[in-house]
């Protein structure tokens, strides 16, 4: 009985050894065939009389390990939609190696190639870049403290500008996201003096213009006297009645009437001058 068991064990080991293929072999129909080298595929499987027939992989395909495949593997495409670009092109013996686009980092990797990437976090105004993102890590942001600012793209927060040290006036105070705004300024005494001087010049010009206007449009004295001085006409001796009315050229109101008596007219011609009102 013991002898029969020993014989069975030996027979089992021999059968198992015959059916198990070596590391560089693959099994087909119970036979162990040699594998094809990387960059190749199986064209014909081995037989009792022949070894495995292999052929190179066609373009855009590869095998990167010894294999017993009938078809080569398709090369990976680095898709920009997935945040990827080509780091190393595909070859017969190696697949394409992808890497994240600029400003992206990888979240899925396989055999040293990135399978998917996402965009780096962007720091907001009032934050600075504490640690810049890489192809494998995201950006880390920090908050600015009081008296400093950053627009989100600075690696450190910058102190607000001191306008007084530049001899300028502060127009707008700084915030955590913006710098202080400075503007040109002048001493108060100079500003007040300039204002007073400008006022005096304007008043002087106004008075001069008014004086010039009055002189230019004033009516001469002789002309005014002639307009308001009218003679009394002398009536002849045969004239029974002589009436002369003198009116103001401007108002049309009678100023003087001559006497209806011929005797007064013959004495002398009188000139009546009305005083100017």
């Amino acid at each position: 009985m013991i002898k029969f068991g020993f014989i069975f064990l030996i027979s089992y080991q021999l059968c198992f050894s015959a059916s198990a293929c070596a590391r560089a072999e693959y099994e087909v129909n119970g036979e162990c065939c040699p594998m094809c080298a990387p960059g190749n595929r199986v064209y014909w499987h081995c037989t009792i009389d022949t070894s495995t027939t292999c052929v190179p992989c066609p373009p855009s395909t590869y095998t990167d390990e010894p294999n017993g495949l009938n078809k080569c593997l398709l090369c990976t495409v680095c898709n920009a939609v997935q945040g990827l670009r080509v780091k190393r092109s595909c070859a017969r013996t190696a697949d394409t190696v992808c890497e994240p686009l600029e400003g992206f980092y990888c979240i899925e990797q396989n055999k040293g190639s990135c399978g998917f990437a996402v965009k780096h976090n962007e720091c907001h105004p009032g934050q600075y870049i504490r640690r810049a993102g890489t192809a494998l890590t995201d950006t880390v942001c920090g908050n600015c403290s009081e008296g400093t600012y950053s627009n989100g793209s600075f690696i450190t927060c910058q102190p607000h500008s001191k306008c007084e040290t530049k001899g300028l006036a502060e127009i707008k105070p700084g915030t955590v996201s913006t710098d202080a705004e400075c503007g040109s300024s002048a001493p108060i005494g100079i500003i007040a003096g300039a204002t007073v001087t400008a006022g005096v010049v304007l008043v002087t010009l106004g008075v001069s213009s008014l004086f010039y206007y009055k002189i230019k449009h004033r009516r001469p004295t002789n002309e005014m006297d002639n307009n308001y001085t009218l003679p009394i006409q002398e009536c002849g001796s045969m004239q029974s009645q002589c009436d002369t009315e003198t009116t103001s050229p401007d108002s049309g109101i009678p100023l003087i009437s001559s006497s209806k008596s011929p005797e007064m007219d013959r004495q002398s011609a009188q000139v009546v001058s009305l005083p100017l009102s």
Side-chain angles (χ1 to χ4, degrees):
M1 187 73 179
I2 296 175
K3 184 176 180 181
F4 177 78
F6 178 78
I7 295 173
F8 177 79
L9 178 61
I10 295 298
S11 300
Y12 175 79
Q13 289 179 343
L14 290 173
C15 292
F16 179 79
S17 298
S19 61
C21 298
R23 184 175 181 182
E25 295 178 335
Y26 67 98
E27 183 180 355
V28 176
N29 299 324
E31 296 289 335
C32 291
C33 294
M35 290 185 177
C36 294
N40 298 275
R41 69 175 180 86
V42 175
Y43 185 70
W44 281 324
H45 295 295
C46 67
T47 64
I48 298 176
D49 300 324
T50 61
S51 181
T52 306
T53 303
C54 302
V55 292
C57 291
S60 300
T61 62
Y62 76 99
T63 55
D64 55 354
E65 295 178 352
N67 65 90
L69 301 175
N70 294 323
K71 292 182 179 180
C72 296
L73 304 175
L74 291 175
C75 294
T76 300
V77 176
C78 303
N79 196 335
V81 176
Q82 297 175 321
L84 303 175
R85 64 184 179 185
V86 176
K87 181 178 181 180
R88 188 181 68 211
S89 298
C90 185
R92 284 173 50 201
T93 58
D95 191 11
T96 309
V97 176
C98 302
E99 65 177 358
L101 292 170
E102 186 70 25
F104 288 71
Y105 71 102
C106 187
I107 59 174
E108 292 181 7
Q109 288 193 40
N110 182 29
K111 294 183 179 180
S113 180
C114 184
F116 192 82
V118 294
K119 193 173 183 180
H120 286 145
N121 179 39
E122 293 184 358
C123 298
H124 301 291
Q127 296 180 322
Y128 70 98
I129 302 174
R130 178 182 296 175
R131 186 173 67 242
T134 67
L136 299 176
T137 61
D138 195 6
T139 301
V140 178
C141 303
N143 296 324
C144 291
S145 60
E146 185 177 358
T148 63
Y149 76 99
S150 171
N151 62 4
S153 64
F154 298 163
I155 58 174
T156 58
C157 294
Q158 301 298 314
H160 292 149
S161 297
K162 301 296 182 181
C163 300
E164 60 274 10
T165 61
K166 303 177 182 179
L168 302 174
E170 185 178 83
I171 298 176
K172 186 177 180 180
T175 65
V176 292
S177 59
T178 59
D179 192 10
E181 294 184 15
C182 303
S184 58
S185 62
I188 298 177
I190 295 178
I191 297 176
T195 303
V196 172
T197 301
V200 171
V201 171
L202 290 176
V203 171
T204 302
L205 290 175
V207 172
S208 300
S209 299
L210 180 60
F211 182 72
Y212 175 77
Y213 178 82
K214 287 186 175 182
I215 292 177
K216 184 176 180 181
H217 294 81
R218 186 175 65 178
R219 185 175 296 172
T221 303
N222 293 336
E223 181 181 348
M224 294 175 65
D225 293 343
N226 292 336
N227 290 338
Y228 289 92
T229 303
L230 300 173
I232 299 176
Q233 295 182 359
E234 182 178 356
C235 299
S237 57
M238 299 301 295
Q239 186 177 0
S240 61
Q241 181 178 354
C242 179
D243 295 330
T244 303
E245 292 184 352
T246 305
T247 61
S248 170
D250 297 330
S251 64
I253 302 174
L255 300 178
I256 189 169
S257 298
S258 63
S259 174
K260 293 183 180 180
S261 173
E263 294 180 356
M264 294 179 64
D265 295 335
R266 286 195 297 268
Q267 293 178 358
S268 62
Q270 298 181 359
V271 178
V272 178
S273 299
L274 297 178
L276 297 175
S277 58

